[in-house]
Amino acid sequence: MKKILIYCSVLLLTSLSSFAQNEKSDHGHEGNPWYSNTATTKLNVSNEEWKKVLSPNLYAVAREKDTERAFTGKYWKSTTKGTYYCAVCGNLLFRSDAKFASSCGWPSFFEPSRKAAVRYQADDSVGDHRTEVLCGRCDSHLGHIFDDGPPPTHKRFCMNSVSLDFEPDSKK
């Protein structure tokens, strides 16, 4: 019985340690020389270089256009006030006052923080015409935009949580 308890404790600690490392690596920016919350200069970095500094999960979504599963991302139902940045390069993307509750399972916004924050590209990869949303600074995949959002824009920027970093507003 004692051996089983020790074994279970070791498994739990290993799992928690692995989870903590994955959480840190998805949103840590150590070793990423291109991450900046203030820079706006367009980046031209190869995927080989991005692969060296991004977590595998972030790389898959941001650079290989993967999609996180619906209702699993950490920001899809968050109501905390603050600012959303590109998790790859730190580019300012969205403010929480443009975020709205959507039943799609991903964080949804009706407009970016500024026009140059994002850029758009046609995406016919799933047999339907969609519009992909890319970071305006590093060209990382963020998600897609749809015409079923609320006023005033009637747009829904459907974003992957893993592609976003969030900084809550400071309390003054």
Side-chain angles (χ1 to χ4, degrees):
M1 182 69 168
K2 192 174 187 180
K3 285 183 181 182
I4 291 172
L5 286 174
I6 291 171
Y7 178 73
C8 289
S9 297
V10 168
L11 280 178
L12 178 62
L13 288 174
T14 303
S15 296
L16 289 174
S17 174
S18 174
F19 175 77
Q21 287 174 353
N22 287 338
E23 280 296 300
K24 182 180 179 193
S25 65
D26 271 352
H27 300 286
H29 304 108
E30 304 82 20
N32 183 346
W34 302 286
Y35 193 91
S36 170
N37 285 57
T38 57
T40 56
T41 306
K42 182 81 172 158
L43 294 173
N44 186 14
V45 179
S46 71
N47 278 346
E48 292 77 28
E49 289 299 313
W50 284 126
K51 197 168 203 168
K52 293 176 186 175
V53 298
L54 302 178
S55 71
N57 191 28
L58 178 55
Y59 182 85
V61 172
R63 305 309 303 176
E64 295 180 336
K65 303 174 192 266
D66 201 355
T67 301
E68 66 190 3
R69 287 190 333 266
F71 307 103
T72 64
K74 67 192 274 184
Y75 301 125
W76 80 271
K77 63 181 179 179
S78 173
T79 58
T80 305
K81 299 294 182 202
T83 306
Y84 292 86
Y85 298 90
C86 174
V88 174
C89 73
N91 185 34
L92 172 63
L93 298 172
F94 301 98
R95 286 281 308 145
S96 61
D97 55 7
K99 189 172 188 289
F100 66 96
S102 169
S103 61
C104 70
W106 291 276
S108 298
F109 304 86
F110 60 79
E111 67 184 352
S113 62
R114 63 194 196 297
K115 189 175 181 175
V118 298
R119 71 176 193 82
Y120 308 96
Q121 180 171 291
D123 177 4
D124 299 317
S125 64
V126 295
D128 256 348
H129 176 71
R130 301 184 299 173
T131 302
E132 179 183 12
V133 179
L134 301 163
C135 174
R137 182 166 182 249
C138 71
D139 289 329
S140 287
H141 173 76
L142 302 170
H144 292 86
I145 185 172
F146 302 96
D147 291 325
D148 59 359
T153 65
H154 301 282
K155 301 292 183 189
R156 175 171 51 96
F157 288 78
C158 186
M159 304 290 98
N160 288 289
S161 287
V162 71
S163 293
L164 304 173
D165 274 343
F166 179 73
E167 186 175 306
D169 288 343
S170 60
K171 298 190 185 226
K172 296 182 179 187

